[in-house]
Amino acid sequence: MKTFKNIALTLLSSTLFFACSSDDDNNTTQAKANANVTFDARVGSADFALDTPYTINGTSYQFDGLRYWVGNVEFVNANNETVAFEDSYFLMEETKAVAVQEGDFTYPAKKRETFGLNNLPVGNYTKIRFTVGVDAVYNDNLSLQAGELSQLNGMTNISWMWHTSYIFSSLKGKNTASNQAITVETGLNANYRTVEITLATPFEVKANQVNTLGLNVDVAKIVDGIDLAATPTVSASTPTVMSAVANNFRDKVFSVKSVE
Amino acid sequence: MKNNQFNKIQCGFLGLLTFAFISCSGDDDYQEPKPLVEVPDNFPSFIDSQTNPLSKDGIALGKKLFYDKTLSGNNNVSCASCHLPELAFSDGVALSNVGVSGNQLHRNAPALINLAWATNGLFWDGGSTNLESQAFAPLSHPDEMFQNLNQLIQELEAKTEYITLFQKAFGQPVSQTGIVKALAQFQRTLVSGNSKYDKFVRNEADGILNEAELDGLALAEQFCFSCHQTPLLTDNQYHNNGLDDDFSNTAFEGMLQGRYRVTNDINDLGKFKTPTLRNIEKTAPYMHDGRFSTLEEVIDHYRFGVKNSPSLASQLNQNNTLGIPLSQTEKNNLIAFLKTLTDEEFLNNPRFK
């Protein structure tokens, strides 16, 4: 993001300090456009909604919330050139109200499935990369903040603060039949994952139009291969299962829905 | 690419500014600025935070916040409620209950000494990565300060001097990150290195140890310094010192299992961070849960009380003998030495109060 904010200043400055600059800067004349990326939460082929029973691996579950950090978004074009939105962090979520600081205050119920990016150079993109979680630089130091990172949205709760880390992803709900609560969380640097999705139909970004890349987020795949009866709470104390959930986010959860 | 260019340009400006300053400043009225932190000669060089470097205004703000009860949900608890300067920023009780809930904590409030060098994790299990991140835990925990971090901004802004102090320290309005950065800066200045032992090490005039203290030092070199490494008198590592031999109780989110809680490595069961021996005379009670009231009890633990388990520190299980063999005289001499680690200048330093 920073890169793009600095363009105007850089342009101005490069005139004044031409002699100091050794980098070619021919990209600054390239046209830019705005783009939206939408994360459509689903369970298999059904739309994801809270308090709605879904059968996953033969068991019925319903959910109170799905939340996860998407960061460090990159687009790759056909020439293998990468446009990086460094330090961009977006909290994607569909959640009931969240008690923050053990109920000291409340984060309101929210549904958010889209983020916008400004100044994406026009062109045809064949890959999108993003991370699920927070890079170690920020994850290890809660006083550094980028994008939407904050202590105030319930993605760092008390037990996690005793162990410095954001919660990278959180899926909460219950087994509809048994009422067993389930909490599937990832966090800690070891579970930071980069997702790469190849766009069979290139994402054609044009000026003067709304460019939207739609991704599916299959909630069933988050817990693919996880025995929630045996491990209803996936947390730092179940490191192997947590790592498996993080791998699911990397490998299975996201797919292309639409390219507009 | 563009960032590089931008940085170069900033450098250009800086170079210019430096030049301008040099050309108009005379040498005659130059005074060496008082250092922000005084580091003893026998210490490693000061490790400043790259993302939160010390500044005079940051330290001053951190000190004010450290003693301000506004930082708690009921406005009755400050950092200093459990970290008293005259006790080397410990609190003198085994497990405090002065937090907002009144519930007893599960761990002893650690002394705050030489934290600039504590770069291998904070808390008894090392779960916190740096002082900035650490501060959020006591600030927000119901059994500690239970401060709504949103509300705290409004409460501090209502005291208008804080608006100015945050501007001076960080060039920004009151913020959660500014609060923890300022607290971290203040804590990094809490350097203790002027005990009688330090003066002895530096060959200073009043650094004279008597016979008992010298004998105690020799015993410490033999039995203690492998973990309580000089000059900080901690190795910043985690060890099982034989307090317990059963770590199956997972209560309180694994709080009783030591470093295992952080690493999930069974080799870390029962391991806790080596506390510094500096000012140990003032930081009773001892151990992560404050189970020992006196230095006598601590040393008797090492003499007679060490319990064996797979993660026990090897130094405490030599030749199939548990613990450290010390006679009564040796114990007394070791305690005499430990008391030479008291740093009255640190305990009474007006810069810290």
Side-chain angles (χ1 to χ4, degrees), chain A residues 89-150:
Chain A
Y89 287 101
F90 305 97
L91 181 56
M92 310 310 291
E93 56 189 341
E94 181 163 355
T95 183
K96 295 181 180 177
V98 179
V100 180
Q101 290 184 230
E102 312 223 338
D104 205 10
F105 64 99
T106 302
Y107 180 92
K110 201 179 269 193
K111 178 171 179 175
R112 193 273 185 97
E113 296 194 316
T114 300
F115 61 80
L117 298 169
N118 300 325
N119 294 320
L120 180 62
V122 299
N124 286 338
Y125 295 97
T126 53
K127 275 180 195 165
I128 179 173
R129 282 192 210 111
F130 56 89
T131 58
V132 174
V134 179
D135 181 86
V137 169
Y138 295 101
N139 199 42
D140 286 346
N141 191 332
L142 303 181
S143 74
L144 303 179
Q145 298 197 328
E148 297 171 6
L149 295 178
S150 164

Side-chain angles (χ1 to χ4, degrees), chain A residues 18-79:
Chain A
F18 183 71
C20 307
S21 151
S22 60
D23 292 336
D24 284 334
D25 205 23
N26 46 24
N27 282 340
T28 49
T29 53
Q30 194 174 341
K32 301 287 182 6
N34 296 338
N36 291 329
V37 183
T38 294
F39 289 73
D40 185 10
R42 323 183 62 76
V43 182
S45 56
D47 190 36
F48 175 80
L50 302 180
D51 292 328
T52 305
Y54 299 99
T55 300
I56 301 174
N57 301 330
T59 307
S60 177
Y61 297 98
Q62 63 190 64
F63 298 98
D64 300 319
L66 166 67
R67 317 179 80 198
Y68 53 97
W69 289 107
V70 168
N72 297 299
V73 181
E74 293 182 356
F75 287 95
V76 183
N77 70 17
N79 299 328

Side-chain angles (χ1 to χ4, degrees), chain A residues 10 21 101 104 140 142 164 236, chain B residues 5 127 129-130 133 147-148 264:
Chain A
T10 310
S21 151
Q101 290 184 230
D104 205 10
D140 286 346
L142 303 181
T164 306
Chain B
Q5 199 174 39
T129 313
N130 42 59
S133 306
Q147 173 63 55
N148 177 326
N264 286 291

